[in-house]
Amino acid sequence: MTVVNRQKVLVIDDERINLKIISDILREDADVVLAISGEQGIRKAIEYKPDLILLDVLMPGLDGYETMNRLRHDVRTSTIPVIFITALDDASHEEKALLMGACDYIQKPLNHNIVQARVRLHLQLTKQRKLLEQLANIDPLTALANRRRYEEFIVREWQTAIQHNECLSLLVLDIDNFKQYNDCYGHATGDKVLKRVATVLAGQIKPGEGLVARYGGEEFVVVLPRFSQQEAERIAKKCMLDIEELNLSYSHQGQTGQVTVSVGGVCVSPLVGDLVEDFFDKADSKLVEAKNSGKNKILWFHSHELDISVK
Ligand SMILES: [Mg+2]
């Protein structure tokens, strides 16, 4: 799991002296990024993805409220917590800021300890929120992405593929004879098999290339954006080979064998109106066919319904 060591705070204020004062207060707790205007602040928020933004209300050009409004309406910045900083002591301004979604409101003149304490509190909350988000997306046994994360990822990649007219490949893999393995050696050993298979799958793609997730039970998915069928098949074959080479053998009711996987695959360039659910079903139906026709093989979905076993 990624551990964020040092958090980032973006300070947006039109007066250099304020930027200096605030960065001196925060330097101990975070990396500080400075912006001298609302426009520059929005650009830096997108570029640096800070954990927290301190935003001055009174600025020429884009004032704090308008800056906040734009940050909230951009998906790249909409969830970053914002603390307003202002010399205005009218309660209506504080109310307006909080209603716009500010997480806090600090008044000038700045008190060193108050600024530090509030920023520390919000950085801590941000850290906890990110950790919870990570945990909500991870399968605890294998540390792979879980089905929830897969479903978010595939919808996003599906939309991207439609937008840019790109192909998208999906592999659905299932460990063969896993029930026999569990019956033979117990669930603790079965869990070890799941972990080892997960490690093999995770090792097949580089970070940012795609997503490997545990779909449920002994079923896994590999999403490969912009991978042609040929490239995806190469990954699938490598997965099968590496899993066989783990040499996880079993012997059950007179049957002996090694742990293998069956794979169903699909590659499409989706069009507007195509359904992402059908995409999964196509790969999954090929997986079922692979299981029913001897296991330890890859079957690929073809739009013209000609399925070719490539093993
Ligand atoms: Mg100002």
Side-chain angles (χ1 to χ4, degrees), residues 41-90:
I42 291 167
R43 281 200 302 277
K44 290 197 172 180
I46 293 166
E47 184 183 347
Y48 291 96
K49 300 178 178 56
D51 298 281
L52 180 66
I53 296 174
L54 268 60
L55 177 59
D56 182 31
V57 172
L58 294 180
M59 294 188 290
L62 285 187
D63 68 5
Y65 296 124
E66 186 50 31
T67 302
M68 174 73 171
N69 197 27
R70 295 196 187 184
L71 289 168
R72 282 291 170 264
H73 284 90
D74 187 321
V75 287
R76 294 168 293 183
T77 55
S78 60
T79 59
I80 304 173
V82 173
I83 299 179
F84 270 104
I85 294 195
T86 181
L88 301 168
D89 62 357
D90 182 339

Side-chain angles (χ1 to χ4, degrees), residues 212-223:
V212 179
R214 183 175 176 206
Y215 192 78
E218 64 270 30
E219 191 165 336
F220 299 86
V221 283
V222 182
V223 187

Side-chain angles (χ1 to χ4, degrees), residues 126-137 148:
T126 303
K127 195 179 270 181
Q128 286 168 354
R129 182 171 54 80
K130 286 190 174 176
L131 188 61
L132 283 175
E133 279 170 9
Q134 277 187 345
L135 290 173
N137 286 325
R148 179 180 182 273

Side-chain angles (χ1 to χ4, degrees), residues 171-190:
L171 307 173
V172 183
L173 305 94
D174 193 274
I175 301 175
D176 298 322
N177 307 314
F178 187 67
K179 188 180 178 305
Q180 284 90 318
Y181 198 91
N182 262 341
D183 289 349
C184 190
Y185 299 110
H187 287 279
T189 308

Side-chain angles (χ1 to χ4, degrees), residues 187-254:
H187 287 279
T189 308
D191 283 353
K192 284 183 192 159
V193 171
L194 289 170
K195 284 187 197 175
R196 295 196 64 187
V197 168
T199 305
V200 166
L201 297 181
Q204 306 301 324
I205 59 171
K206 299 187 190 94
E209 259 187 350
L211 182 82
V212 179
R214 183 175 176 206
Y215 192 78
E218 64 270 30
E219 191 165 336
F220 299 86
V221 283
V222 182
V223 187
L224 299 163
R226 291 170 293 282
F227 275 60
S228 67
Q229 179 176 326
Q230 199 181 15
E231 292 167 328
E233 276 183 4
R234 185 178 48 77
I235 299 271
K237 284 181 184 172
K238 184 78 169 34
C239 289
M240 293 178 74
L241 194 67
D242 288 359
I243 288 165
E244 250 185 297
E245 283 179 356
L246 290 174
N247 275 323
L248 300 167
S249 55
Y250 64 89
S251 172
H252 184 61
Q253 293 179 345

